[in-house]
């Protein structure tokens, strides 16, 4: 009885977990090599090297660990491949913020100098994440640890791109994207956070043209939240069924301040019971307007640069930030007698998850993969029951 060990009154994680995890690793309990057993493989959804793990990662990796350990107990050749993701946009914003705290601007660095800091960030935070996974008890095959920017994986991305391109499945086209003017990149819809934001409805007068580019005494009123984009207007749109605006059909109007003539067009997209029933169409700076522009073959005039400032095509307030330009153009419109009234308005505005900058809709040449055939195969796999989603 003398060699019996007393059980501690309290559970001590550091004693138990560190001891057993070290034993598992020493005996290569998580390592696997291909053999005759049924394979069961999970590639870890790689955490971004943007910081440290959060509770979402803990939940996700716990579920993976349960599945992989059950497969091992069932005699399958279970392999859980660990790794981290470079997540370039998200990681870059973190590195830029760190450099800013050091008094260094990204613009003052060469590409190689910036990449040196980025790799230092990856080594530090990627290492922390992998150690945290170990601390959780994750039964990964650590001999197979990967990083998504390794040369072999980068080569695989290029090879895959070429594979689909040669099959004719990859094409390029101009599309409206969510542009982050601080990160200077397009971001996905999932990375846009919509917040109810206090703004204003500016009611502006657009004088009807006499047909020769001269304003008459008659005008129509346009309500807009973005008066700084009027210089990019391509048309004024009314609903063809709206009796209030029948007299405008076939007419042209003058854009305030720059005195450019644009047509009045008709499209059922315009809601008759919203605002004044007249919509300014700015194809370069609004996704819905872009679609209207395609339907009516309207010109596209992009007056906002990558950093969110007005460019030379704007003609006025060139170089001004879009929000500073908004304040200034209201003063100019008032002086010109083109500001009817201002109303308070709350609307959902898209913000970048990465930088908290207000998203600018922007036309950009992007690469796309044709999904018709691939989507049909994926749908069939689910509908036939070969792939099951849990919960259903």
């Amino acid at each position: 009885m003398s060699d019996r060990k007393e059980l501690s009154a309290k559970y001590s994680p550091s004693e138990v977990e560190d001891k057993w995890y070290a034993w598992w690793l020493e005996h290569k309990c998580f390592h696997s090599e291909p053999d005759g057993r049924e394979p069961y493989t999970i590639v870890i959804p790689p955490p971004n090297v943007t910081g440290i793990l959060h509770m979402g990662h803990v939940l996700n990796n716990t579920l993976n660990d349960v599945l992989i350990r059950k497969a091992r107990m069932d005699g399958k050749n279970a392999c859980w491949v660990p790794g981290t993701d470079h997540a370039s946009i998200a990681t870059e914003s973190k590195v830029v913020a760190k450099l800013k705290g050091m008094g260094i601007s990204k613009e003052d660095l060469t590409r190689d100098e910036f990449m040196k800091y980025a790799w230092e960030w990856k080594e530090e935070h990627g290492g922390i994440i992998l150690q945290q996974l170990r601390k959780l008890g994750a039964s990964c095959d650590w001999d197979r640890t990967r990083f998504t920017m390794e040369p072999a994986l980068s080569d695989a991305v290029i090879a895959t791109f070429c594979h689909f391109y040669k099959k004719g499945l990859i094409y390029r086209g101009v599309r409206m994207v969510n542009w982050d003017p601080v990160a200077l990149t397009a971001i996905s819809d999932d990375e846009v956070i919509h917040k109810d934001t206090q703004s204003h409805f500016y009611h502006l007068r657009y004088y009807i043209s006499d047909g020769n580019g001269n304003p008459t005494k008659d005008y129509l009123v346009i309500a807009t939240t973005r008066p700084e984009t009027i210089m990019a207007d391509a048309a004024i749109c009314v609903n063809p069924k709206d009796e209030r605006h029948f007299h405008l059909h076939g007419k042209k109007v003058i854009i305030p301040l720059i005195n450019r003539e644009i047509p009045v067009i008709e499209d059922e997209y315009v809601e008759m019971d919203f605002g004044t029933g007249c919509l300014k169409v700015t194809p370069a700076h609004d996704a819905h307007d872009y679609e209207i522009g395609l339907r009516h073959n309207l010109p596209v005039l992009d007056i906002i640069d990558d950093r969110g400032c007005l460019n030379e095509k704007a003609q006025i307030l060139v170089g001004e930030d879009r929000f500073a330009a908004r304040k200034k153009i209201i003063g100019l419109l008032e002086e010109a007698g083109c500001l009817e009234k201002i109303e308070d308005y709350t609307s959902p505005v898209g913000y970048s998850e990465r930088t908290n900058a207000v998203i600018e809709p922007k036309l950009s040449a992007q690469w796309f993969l044709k999904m018709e055939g691939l989507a049909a195969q994926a749908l069939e796999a689910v509908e036939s029951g070969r792939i099951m989603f849990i919960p259903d």
Side-chain angles (χ1 to χ4, degrees):
M1 297 290 287
S2 58
D3 56 350
R4 287 179 64 180
K5 233 180 154 185
E6 288 292 320
L7 188 67
S8 299
K10 289 184 178 179
Y11 173 63
S12 174
S14 58
E15 288 177 22
V16 178
E17 293 174 5
D18 291 349
K19 168 189 154 186
W20 281 111
Y21 202 82
W23 192 90
W24 291 339
L25 293 182
E26 181 187 344
H27 290 81
K28 289 195 170 287
C29 295
F30 310 147
H31 183 68
S32 71
E33 294 291 340
D35 56 28
R37 290 175 295 164
E38 179 187 346
Y40 187 95
T41 305
I42 297 177
V43 176
I44 202 168
N48 300 340
V49 288
T50 47
I52 60 176
L53 298 184
H54 51 66
M55 288 303 290
H57 292 112
V58 175
L59 171 62
N60 194 23
N61 286 296
T62 298
L63 297 174
N64 279 266
D65 204 14
V66 168
L67 292 170
I68 209 79
R69 286 176 181 269
K70 173 66 164 61
R72 275 196 207 97
M73 293 166 68
D74 287 342
K76 296 175 184 176
N77 189 347
C79 178
W80 190 11
V81 182
T84 49
D85 185 14
H86 63 285
S88 55
I89 297 172
T91 304
E92 179 182 347
S93 65
K94 294 285 188 181
V95 177
V96 168
K98 181 182 178 183
L99 289 172
K100 189 176 181 181
M102 297 163 60
I104 301 171
S105 170
K106 178 191 169 189
E107 283 69 26
D108 296 335
L109 300 175
T110 65
R111 178 184 173 83
D112 288 341
E113 287 169 340
F114 181 79
M115 287 303 293
K116 177 175 168 286
Y117 284 109
W119 278 106
E120 285 175 0
W121 175 277
K122 178 264 172 184
E123 293 303 325
E124 178 186 352
H125 290 273
I128 290 171
I129 286 167
L130 294 175
Q131 285 304 318
Q132 286 181 314
L133 286 170
R134 285 178 165 88
K135 204 72 180 167
L136 288 173
S139 61
C140 300
D141 186 346
W142 297 109
D143 296 332
R144 300 185 187 278
T145 304
R146 307 304 297 267
F147 176 56
T148 54
M149 223 167 99
E150 289 173 11
L153 297 186
S154 294
D155 289 346
V157 171
I158 295 169
T160 304
F161 182 94
C162 293
H163 169 78
F164 286 121
Y165 183 83
K166 288 173 182 174
K167 283 191 161 191
L169 294 175
I170 283 183
Y171 61 98
R172 203 174 191 195
V174 174
R175 296 290 187 278
M176 189 70 72
V177 298
N178 303 306
W179 184 258
D180 182 334
V182 174
L184 298 178
T185 184
I187 63 173
S188 71
D189 291 344
D190 289 341
E191 295 168 303
V192 178
I193 300 170
H194 292 278
K195 306 177 193 174
D196 283 339
T197 303
Q198 182 65 44
S199 59
H200 298 92
F201 245 148
Y202 303 91
H203 293 252
L204 312 180
R205 293 177 179 177
Y206 282 61
Y207 282 86
I208 298 170
S209 170
D210 63 2
N212 295 309
N214 304 307
T216 64
K217 68 180 190 318
D218 298 319
Y219 60 84
L220 52 87
V221 177
I222 305 291
T224 179
T225 58
R226 300 201 65 190
E228 72 278 7
T229 65
I230 65 172
M231 296 81 76
D233 289 351
I236 298 300
C237 192
V238 297
N239 191 300
K241 299 175 183 174
D242 194 336
E243 295 179 1
R244 295 173 298 171
H245 304 311
F246 281 173
H247 68 289
L248 295 174
H249 293 187
K251 300 282 189 181
K252 291 186 177 180
V253 298
I254 307 290
I255 297 177
L257 303 180
I258 63 169
N259 301 319
R260 180 161 57 80
E261 198 177 58
I262 55 174
V264 176
I265 62 171
E266 302 152 48
D267 196 291
E268 292 192 352
Y269 171 77
V270 180
E271 297 178 26
M272 291 188 283
D273 57 354
F274 184 74
T276 63
C278 296
L279 175 75
K280 77 184 201 70
V281 183
T282 317
H285 300 291
D286 182 272
H288 297 299
D289 290 10
Y290 180 61
E291 293 300 322
I292 295 173
L294 289 177
R295 288 198 292 273
H296 295 270
N297 198 28
L298 297 177
V300 178
L301 189 66
D302 188 347
I303 64 165
I304 297 179
D305 68 16
D306 287 353
R307 296 182 181 275
C309 298
L310 299 192
N311 61 28
E312 291 77 9
K313 293 176 184 175
Q315 301 181 47
I316 57 174
L317 302 174
V318 175
E320 293 279 356
D321 174 80
R322 54 193 168 148
F323 297 117
R326 181 178 300 176
K327 290 180 180 177
K328 290 184 179 181
I329 203 168
I330 289 306
L332 296 174
L333 288 162
E334 194 167 23
E335 285 176 24
C338 293
L339 181 63
E340 181 98 349
K341 64 177 179 176
I342 301 174
E343 290 180 319
D344 289 337
Y345 182 65
T346 301
S347 62
V349 173
Y351 291 78
S352 168
E353 184 183 51
R354 306 302 180 192
T355 64
N356 203 38
V358 173
I359 290 300
E360 186 64 41
K362 189 173 181 63
L363 288 171
S364 175
Q366 301 282 323
W367 290 104
F368 296 91
L369 177 64
K370 291 178 184 175
M371 293 300 296
E372 291 90 347
L374 294 169
Q377 291 177 41
L379 195 60
E380 188 278 327
V382 174
E383 289 181 339
S384 68
R386 284 190 292 123
I387 289 177
M388 294 171 60
F389 284 99
I390 301 172
D392 188 20

